[in-house]
Amino acid sequence: MSVAHREPSTADRVSETGKVHRDLRLDACRGLALWFIFIDHVPDNSLAWLTLRNYGFSDTSEVFVFISGYTCMLAYGGALPTQGWATTVVRALRRAWEIYAAFLVLLLAYAALVWAVGGGTRFVDETNTGFFFREPGPTLLHVAMLQFAPVNTDILLTFAILHICFPIVLFAMMSSATLTLALSFVVYMMVQLFSWQVPAWPSGELYFNPFAWQFLFVIGAWYGFVGTRSLRPILDSRTLLVAALAYLAFSLFMALSWEFKVLESLIPSAVSGLIYPIYKSHLAPVRLLHFLALALVVSRLAPPEWRGPIRPLMTAMIRCGENSLSIYCLGVLLAFLGQVILTDVASGFAMQCAISVVGIAMMIAVATLLTWESQLDRRGPRLF
């Protein structure tokens, strides 16, 4: 769909005719990823077998980080020639602040919900919110310093850090995209070889290590900047497609062996020693390769020229993807409520299905309402 008289958003692309088109594939992927994340966040949910994490090394986290880097380059890099550096930097930092503010609101709502259902004693370990009730002062201080997060909110801290650093990435990319990608890879390898990390409170490190995950973020930005042109002959290679499919099949077999021990005995010890341990926090190389292989296959199945019919299910995914930050925060709270229901009411398969379906329906309803509100919103003059 063409859009006129507005600034391109993070899921827009400019065609050769100069018209701005919204790439609905990005919103649809983010929306589906949000549903999968919600299902995965509900403990002991049998419907998690429908999500990505049981069928390969990577999961929906990689989808979000890659798309974030890609859309940042489209939104800020695309607007740089007309808006200049000052405006572009302010916009990037404002988005980082929005993510940080959403994290703070989510954190307060999360703690309040845990207190409401558990009185500050139940569910505190499962949600990592006990520090709020035992040491509220130090906890708030370390929250402000991006060093503490309850369960399932960690990725927001990393997203905030990546957006704060994006102006630097953009400046380096404009100077030399290849060198920027190479330097990003060097930092990533420092994590793999020497365990570079960002400390967390009260101990350990941020779960989504920014030093590691920045590489996937930069890959997304690099692909949005030059990759679509320079990599097209390679990405269209039938040999590369076959190699990607073979790696996905290998990853599928390995992932299934974690659940079915009969398959584990078929894996040579040399292979196990080569790929394990697979750290999500450090974005293990096998996870990164799995996502890149998956992205290649998906891009071949859904090329940029694809403009398929928008059916209700696809529309629902797009609505959630358009409002990904708000819907992610809502999904965290709904997943916790689902955990409470499974613990205190019933834990059978029927209840797991009901929680998953109702939760996704609520996410779709809220996302639709947010999109409708944004279409009606006409901001008036600022009086203060």
Side-chain angles (χ1 to χ4, degrees):
M1 62 180 177
S2 48
V3 183
H5 306 299
R6 72 169 178 85
E7 178 182 300
S9 70
T10 57
D12 292 338
R13 58 184 177 87
V14 181
S15 68
E16 295 178 355
T17 61
K19 293 184 178 180
V20 177
H21 297 279
R22 188 171 184 86
D23 192 341
L24 300 180
R25 298 174 305 159
L26 297 177
D27 288 328
C29 287
R30 281 190 292 201
L32 182 61
L34 285 166
W35 296 356
F36 284 172
I37 289 173
F38 165 70
I39 290 174
D40 288 338
H41 282 176
V42 178
D44 302 319
N45 189 357
S46 299
L47 268 67
W49 279 100
L50 300 176
T51 69
L52 291 177
R53 71 175 185 180
N54 292 303
Y55 302 101
F57 296 135
S58 66
D59 56 29
T60 47
S61 301
E62 282 84 354
V63 176
F64 260 100
V65 174
F66 176 84
I67 290 180
S68 181
Y70 181 78
T71 54
C72 275
M73 180 55 67
L74 291 184
Y76 307 131
L80 181 61
T82 57
Q83 296 185 352
W85 276 104
T87 300
T88 300
V89 170
V90 167
R91 290 181 60 222
L93 295 180
R94 181 175 62 193
R95 182 56 177 172
W97 167 252
E98 290 173 354
I99 296 172
Y100 179 61
F103 166 73
L104 295 178
V105 172
L106 173 60
L107 185 143
L108 293 175
Y110 206 169
L113 199 56
V114 171
W115 178 272
V117 301
T121 57
R122 300 181 65 220
F123 302 108
V124 294
D125 293 331
E126 298 91 329
T127 59
N128 194 32
T129 56
F131 292 102
F132 272 101
F133 311 120
R134 297 190 299 266
E135 304 176 60
T139 301
L140 291 176
L141 175 62
H142 289 284
V143 164
M145 296 171 61
L146 301 178
Q147 292 182 327
F148 176 80
V151 170
N152 297 333
T153 67
D154 321 64
I155 196 170
L156 293 178
L157 295 182
T158 298
F159 269 126
I161 294 172
L162 292 176
H163 278 75
I164 291 173
C165 297
F166 183 75
I168 300 174
V169 173
L170 181 59
F171 180 81
M173 198 78 69
M174 291 298 175
S175 301
S176 174
T178 302
L179 179 59
T180 303
L181 186 64
L183 291 175
S184 176
F185 174 72
V186 170
V187 174
Y188 171 76
M189 289 307 300
M190 291 300 101
V191 176
Q192 309 307 317
L193 298 176
F194 304 109
S195 298
W196 281 16
Q197 58 184 262
V198 176
W201 181 84
S203 62
E205 61 181 279
L206 288 186
Y207 184 69
F208 288 90
N209 188 335
F211 288 128
W213 287 83
Q214 57 78 30
F215 184 47
L216 184 56
F217 182 83
V218 172
I219 290 176
W222 178 83
Y223 183 73
F225 185 57
V226 298
T228 52
R229 298 192 304 271
S230 61
L231 286 184
R232 181 51 53 194
I234 300 176
L235 295 179
D236 289 340
S237 167
R238 184 181 297 273
T239 301
L240 185 60
L241 177 62
V242 171
L245 290 172
Y247 186 76
L248 292 178
F250 166 73
S251 178
L252 172 63
F253 182 85
M254 296 297 297
L256 291 177
S257 72
W258 303 335
E259 301 294 335
F260 304 100
K261 298 304 179 182
V262 65
L263 298 178
E264 188 176 13
S265 61
L266 302 177
I267 301 174
S269 58
V271 174
S272 299
L274 184 64
I275 67 172
Y276 293 126
I278 304 175
Y279 291 126
K280 181 176 182 178
S281 175
H282 290 182
L283 186 59
V286 293
R287 289 184 63 101
L288 178 62
L289 288 175
H290 179 263
F291 168 77
L292 295 177
L294 186 63
L296 170 65
V297 172
V298 171
S299 68
R300 292 289 294 270
L301 296 178
E305 295 77 17
W306 179 77
R307 309 293 293 176
I310 304 302
R311 302 186 183 278
L313 184 62
M314 184 67 70
T315 301
M317 288 190 290
I318 291 171
R319 291 292 174 261
C320 289
E322 289 173 340
N323 304 279
S324 57
L325 179 58
S326 300
I327 299 306
Y328 179 85
C329 295
L330 175 63
V332 171
L333 299 178
L334 292 176
F336 172 67
L337 290 176
Q339 178 181 2
V340 174
I341 294 173
L342 291 176
T343 302
D344 294 347
V345 180
S347 59
F349 179 72
M351 182 60 76
Q352 296 170 20
C353 292
I355 290 171
S356 300
V357 172
V358 172
I360 291 176
M362 293 178 66
M363 294 165 70
I364 294 171
V366 171
T368 303
L369 180 62
L370 290 173
T371 297
W372 173 77
E373 184 274 336
S374 67
Q375 293 172 345
L376 293 181
D377 184 27
R378 295 294 182 270
R379 300 187 184 276
R382 295 180 182 270
L383 302 180
F384 298 98

